[in-house]
Amino acid sequence: MRNLVLICLVLSVMSVSAAQAGLGRVVYLHSADLAKSSADGALAPRSGRVDLVETDLSLGKRSILINGFFNGALEDFSDASIAVSHDGRYIAIGQNSTITISEGDSPGEPTITRIPKGLRLWDRKTRQVKVIYSGFTNDQLLWSGSDRYLAIIDPYSEGPVRIYDAVAGRMRAYSGYSELTCVAWSAKRDEIILVLPAEKGSVVYAQPVIGRRRVLFKWHDSIDEIAEFGNNSGYALCDGIGVLLYKPGGMTKRLSVNRSHNDPWDVILQPQLNGSWMAALSSYSYGEPHINDDKALYVFRFNGSAFQRIAKWSTSYLSIQPNGGSIMLMETAGWLGDISKVVLRGQAIWGGEAVVDNRRDRFVFWTFDVSGGRTGKKIFDTGPGCLSAVWWPG
């Protein structure tokens, strides 16, 4: 039996009109069949139609990019991934493989068959969609700054790093990264940054799309997260102590985003695409038997200047019986404007006492002003029936 929990999110949100200037777009997978079941009180359907939808937040306009993108078991998209290239031309959609169990040749020995669904790529220019990787298993998807290359990373580090060339239609695989801890694209080059554990700390590599990998630098501690500043001025790292700024052969500066205890801690780094700013969303989990989670959103420049915490809130995970509740999972989604706003995404996962109830699952997006004001401003709510969603600047 799966215990489900209720999240109490202390986050002020201002209501906004549907159409607002310069707020970007949200691309999401939506099932009208699933949304309807939430409205009429019926049980969540096991199958239905899924559309690929985009909403232009600046115009308040909703468009269906692919009508009937999929029609079948909704659980196949329970962990779907979407990644939009920065220019919006390409949308990668990964559908998890499924497992079927049937009677085997011998009694009591069932046959387990994995049916890959694949990673598909939709081209906005040609309006064509094609499968580019049939072995997709909820891999991490990352677009390069040039919008030409898509990195496909196994989150469990069990396979090679794959990079797909959207222009040439070719996939390359790079071996030797079976223990990688984190990845990020280089800010100005078509090469991916990969971190591997070493005997004493970590080694950071640069793997170009064409060519051999090289060592960027070594660090004396584990590295859990890495990102390069968009102006190519250095890196932000998260190690066993906390967040720091590092430029090989030059500056090293610690920021006051630290691990204060041994409880689970996480940081998500979000650089500006071509700028000198970085956002960091930290998360501390603690407490028994109920789990609390303290989150904070920080922004800073490449040299550590203008460092500030622009938001802080707490969540509490409480066992709920018997009426069900939700968990709000949050992460940084990107930057809006040069240095004006950071965009956060929240995923509300609903459930009852025994089973996950995805009829009311939804994604919500907020902006946080860098210049002032510590209140999140809600800019979009996908509503029920949403299976996966991603924001891009438009």
Side-chain angles (χ1 to χ4, degrees), residues 183-264:
V183 299
W185 276 101
S186 171
K188 298 298 182 183
R189 301 181 182 91
D190 282 330
E191 59 185 25
I192 195 163
I193 301 165
L194 304 111
V195 180
L196 271 70
E199 184 177 351
K200 296 181 180 180
S202 302
V203 181
V204 181
Y205 294 93
Q207 173 64 69
V209 174
I210 301 175
R212 302 180 62 180
R213 74 179 185 181
R214 68 184 190 281
V215 175
L216 286 176
F217 62 91
K218 298 179 180 180
W219 193 247
H220 59 270
D221 198 353
S222 63
I223 298 178
D224 301 321
E225 183 79 358
I226 188 170
E228 185 175 18
F229 283 90
N231 62 358
N232 204 219
S233 58
Y235 304 90
L237 313 176
C238 173
D239 65 2
I241 299 175
V243 175
L244 64 104
L245 308 180
Y246 179 67
K247 186 171 184 177
M251 177 193 71
T252 300
K253 182 174 184 177
R254 287 278 177 186
L255 301 178
S256 56
V257 184
N258 304 315
R259 295 179 187 269
S260 60
H261 43 65
N262 294 324
D263 293 310

Side-chain angles (χ1 to χ4, degrees), residues 24-28 52-56 61-66 82-93 121-130 143 166 390-394:
R25 306 186 188 194
V26 175
V27 175
Y28 51 105
L52 180 64
V53 182
E54 180 178 75
T55 295
D56 186 332
K61 181 181 179 181
R62 182 179 185 270
S63 305
I64 296 180
L65 302 180
I66 302 179
I82 302 179
V84 182
S85 60
H86 304 98
D87 61 2
R89 175 173 175 177
Y90 299 109
I91 302 176
I93 309 135
L121 187 71
W122 183 76
D123 187 334
R124 189 184 298 270
K125 183 177 180 180
T126 64
R127 315 295 291 187
Q128 304 260 330
V129 62
K130 62 181 178 180
W143 281 101
V390 65
W391 175 89
W392 66 286

Side-chain angles (χ1 to χ4, degrees), residues 128-165:
Q128 304 260 330
V129 62
K130 62 181 178 180
V131 175
I132 62 173
Y133 177 46
S134 61
F136 180 86
T137 54
N138 197 29
D139 303 271
Q140 183 181 6
L141 304 176
L142 300 170
W143 281 101
S144 67
S146 67
D147 296 313
R148 176 170 178 171
Y149 300 103
L150 175 68
I152 306 165
I153 311 296
D154 183 342
Y156 301 104
S157 304
E158 296 176 353
V161 172
R162 293 178 173 85
I163 297 180
Y164 179 77
D165 185 336

Side-chain angles (χ1 to χ4, degrees), residues 71-131:
N71 197 343
L74 294 176
E75 66 179 3
D76 292 348
F77 277 104
S78 60
D79 293 311
S81 298
I82 302 179
V84 182
S85 60
H86 304 98
D87 61 2
R89 175 173 175 177
Y90 299 109
I91 302 176
I93 309 135
Q95 180 184 358
N96 255 357
S97 61
T98 58
I99 296 177
T100 60
I101 301 177
S102 59
E103 293 185 8
D105 298 332
S106 302
E109 296 184 4
T111 299
I112 300 176
T113 305
R114 182 176 291 275
I115 304 174
K117 298 299 181 180
L119 174 63
R120 283 173 263 189
L121 187 71
W122 183 76
D123 187 334
R124 189 184 298 270
K125 183 177 180 180
T126 64
R127 315 295 291 187
Q128 304 260 330
V129 62
K130 62 181 178 180
V131 175

